[in-house]
């Protein structure tokens, strides 16, 4: 991965002044840069991991940007690894097909389409579609699965090129990608071009309100350049002629919003009004909402370190599950290393046989982790904790299964 990084001196959305620090997690390696065994002794690039608040549009964003091409050109995240996420994608496709009356004469585009996890549903329904995925290794998997995919970074110029070739899209899905975009105005301008005057844009993003409520600091990492409220999202969409007309609250990623927008004038939904009202009531336009988050983060880390010390003092063998980016943020913020945790299990072959960035905990198969006979397993991707706990119990694990965010707790499994 590239070692290029640059400080941010103004809001990347509105150009306004950056204000208070929301959360400072020190310097960390890039969360999805898994370390090959042969490079275990080589120094890892580390960059400041600090989120601040724009004084103008209130977008929470990192104040250091790590080169996106270095992060995403060869990526280790595969959406199809989670059964619950595949179910979520299938439900989305079914709902949007009905709502927008999509069919054989329609055109659906997903930006940041990963391994085809979502678009394969449209392929199966005979609805013309195209994936746009910057990571060459991931895009190749999508094409192998029969999902038409172009390996490109998305922006306004590419959107004009695509419209010239294929025409406007009826649906543009940009789900769980907005956080990953450093040049957000170029990206949103591209969405507007691609959807044209009548198409619908669907954006899913973790909701900043739920992030604050759940002390979800481990979703802060270099691949996530920004953390979105409806307030900030409506501002950047409106700058490019897009009007939000509906919002859906989702349980995914600890609490997300699905935002539907279009250049066309559509009647706003009641849920949109409700989410707007919630953010006003919570004070997202004012400094007080953003204060105190880091204090809660440090309390979570202290509690985890105390639990870890007690468990290790008692001679308990501790494993982890899920080599997720959020887990890497958490482990590095907590100062955990390979001496503390036996190994972390992950179903992704792209991660197995490597070391976690920073902590250098080895990544193994789930079967290999269970063979190490841990007493406790810490689930790092807490957002799918119930799914993982069920898998571990089905595989015969009888020990404690725990998560640490926002506080230590056992999962039933």
């Amino acid at each position: 991965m590239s070692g290029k990084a640059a400080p941010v001196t103004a809001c990347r959305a509105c150009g306004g002044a950056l204000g208070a620090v929301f959360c400072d997690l020190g310097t960390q390696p890039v969360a999805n840069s898994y370390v090959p065994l042969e490079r275990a002794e080589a120094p890892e690039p580390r960059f400041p991991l600090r989120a601040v608040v724009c004084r103008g549009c209130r977008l929470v964003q990192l104040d250091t940007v790590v080169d996106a091409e270095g992060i995403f050109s060869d990526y280790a995240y595969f959406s199809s690894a989670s059964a619950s996420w595949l179910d979520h994608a299938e439900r989305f496709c079914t709902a949007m097909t009905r709502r927008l009356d999509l069919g054989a004469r329609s055109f659906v585009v997903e930006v940041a389409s990963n391994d085809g996890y979502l678009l394969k549903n449209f392929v199966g329904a005979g609805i013309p579609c195209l994936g746009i995925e910057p990571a060459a290794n991931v895009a190749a998997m999508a094409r192998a699965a029969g999902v038409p995919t172009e390996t490109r970074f998305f922006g306004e110029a590419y959107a004009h090129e695509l419209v010239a070739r294929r025409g406007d899209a009826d649906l543009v899905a940009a789900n769980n990608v907005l956080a990953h975009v450093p040049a957000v105005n170029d990206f949103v301008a591209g969405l507007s071009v691609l959807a044209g005057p009548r198409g619908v844009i669907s954006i899913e993003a973790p909701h900043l309100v739920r992030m604050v409520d759940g002390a979800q600091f481990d979703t802060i990492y270099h691949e996530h350049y920004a953390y979105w409220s409806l307030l900030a999202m409506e501002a950047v969409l409106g700058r490019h002629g897009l009007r939000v007309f509906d919002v859906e609250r989702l349980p995914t990623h600890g609490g997300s919003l699905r935002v539907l927008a279009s250049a066309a004038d559509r009647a706003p939904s009641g849920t949109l009004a409700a989410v707007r009202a919630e953010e006003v009531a919570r004070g997202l336009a004012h400094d007080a909402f953003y204060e105190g988050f880091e204090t809660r983060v440090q309390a979570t880390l202290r509690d985890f370190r105390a639990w870890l010390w007690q468990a290790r003092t008692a001679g308990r063998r501790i494993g982890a599950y899920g080599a997720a980016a959020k887990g890497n943020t958490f482990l590095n913020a907590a100062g955990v290393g390979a001496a503390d945790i036996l190994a972390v299990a992950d179903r992704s072959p792209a991660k197995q046989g490597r070391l976690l960035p920073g902590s250098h905990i080895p990544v193994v198969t789930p079967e290999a982790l269970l063979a190490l006979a841990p007493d406790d397993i810490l689930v790092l991707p807490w957002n799918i904790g119930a799914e993982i706990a069920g898998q571990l119990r089905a595989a015969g694990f009888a020990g404690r299964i725990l998560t640490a965010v926002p506080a230590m707790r056992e999962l039933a499994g």
Side-chain angles (χ1 to χ4, degrees), residues 71-401:
I71 291 175
F72 297 113
S73 58
D74 184 47
Y75 204 44
Y77 177 77
F78 297 89
S79 297
S80 295
S82 168
S84 60
W85 191 247
L86 290 176
D87 290 342
H88 171 77
E90 184 178 5
R91 289 193 300 272
F92 168 82
C93 295
T94 299
M96 296 307 291
T97 297
R98 291 172 179 165
R99 181 168 186 169
L100 303 180
D101 194 25
L102 301 174
R105 298 173 65 85
S106 305
F107 183 38
V108 175
V109 178
E110 185 182 16
V111 180
S113 52
N114 203 263
D115 58 8
Y117 75 102
L118 184 144
L119 289 181
K120 69 178 185 180
N121 295 287
F122 290 115
V123 171
I127 299 171
C129 62
L130 177 68
I132 302 167
E133 171 54 49
N137 61 317
V138 183
M141 292 188 67
R143 286 190 289 269
V147 176
T149 304
E150 296 187 5
T151 306
R152 296 284 295 270
F153 279 90
F154 183 77
E156 185 176 9
Y158 173 61
H160 280 293
E161 174 193 321
L162 185 55
V163 168
R165 285 192 280 124
R166 299 288 300 268
D168 297 340
D170 299 281
L171 171 64
V172 182
N175 295 340
N176 295 291
V177 61
L178 202 58
H180 295 266
V181 179
V184 68
N185 282 294
D186 181 57
F187 183 87
V188 175
L191 296 179
S192 182
V193 168
L194 187 54
R198 293 175 298 278
V200 170
I201 297 164
S202 171
I203 298 172
E204 289 183 20
H207 192 194
L208 181 69
V209 172
R210 304 285 85 82
M211 178 183 178
V212 169
D213 288 347
Q216 297 165 6
F217 70 94
D218 52 346
T219 62
I220 298 174
Y221 43 91
H222 295 107
E223 293 93 325
H224 283 174
Y225 299 104
Y227 307 85
W228 290 92
S229 62
L230 180 62
L231 174 70
M233 195 183 299
E234 285 202 271
V236 74
L237 291 172
R239 200 170 294 120
H240 299 280
L242 296 169
R243 301 178 182 89
V244 175
F245 64 89
D246 197 9
V247 176
E248 183 180 353
R249 293 183 175 96
L250 303 172
T252 54
H253 295 295
S256 297
L257 296 180
R258 176 181 292 150
V259 175
L260 299 184
S262 177
D265 190 11
R266 296 170 180 256
S269 71
T271 309
L272 172 59
V275 176
R276 284 173 175 164
E278 178 192 14
E279 292 195 349
V280 169
R282 295 293 300 272
L284 268 74
H286 307 288
D287 290 343
F289 174 80
Y290 306 91
E291 296 169 352
F293 182 74
E294 186 167 352
T295 300
R296 295 170 60 209
V297 169
Q298 294 304 323
T300 297
L301 291 170
R302 282 196 303 273
D303 288 348
F304 173 72
R305 291 187 192 106
W307 173 86
L308 182 64
W309 182 84
Q310 291 170 354
R312 293 198 65 213
T313 300
R316 299 185 70 83
R317 294 166 57 81
I318 302 165
Y321 197 109
K326 58 166 46 76
N328 292 327
T329 290
F330 174 81
L331 294 171
N332 287 319
V336 174
D340 301 303
I341 291 181
L342 298 168
V344 57
D346 200 278
R347 290 183 175 276
S348 172
K351 298 178 183 179
Q352 293 163 3
R354 297 192 174 199
L355 306 175
L356 296 185
S359 68
H360 280 203
I361 297 167
V363 184
V364 300
T365 66
E367 295 77 13
L369 177 66
L370 294 180
L372 293 172
D375 299 298
D376 302 323
I377 293 180
L378 178 69
V379 175
L380 297 171
W382 44 261
N383 52 303
I384 54 171
E387 176 185 342
I388 291 172
Q391 292 170 357
L392 288 170
R393 294 302 186 213
F397 180 68
R400 295 189 301 187
I401 304 172

Side-chain angles (χ1 to χ4, degrees), residues 3-9 12 47-48 62-67 225:
K4 297 178 183 177
V8 176
T9 57
R12 64 173 55 89
F47 309 97
L62 299 187
D63 65 2
T64 299
V65 167
V66 178
D67 173 37
Y225 299 104

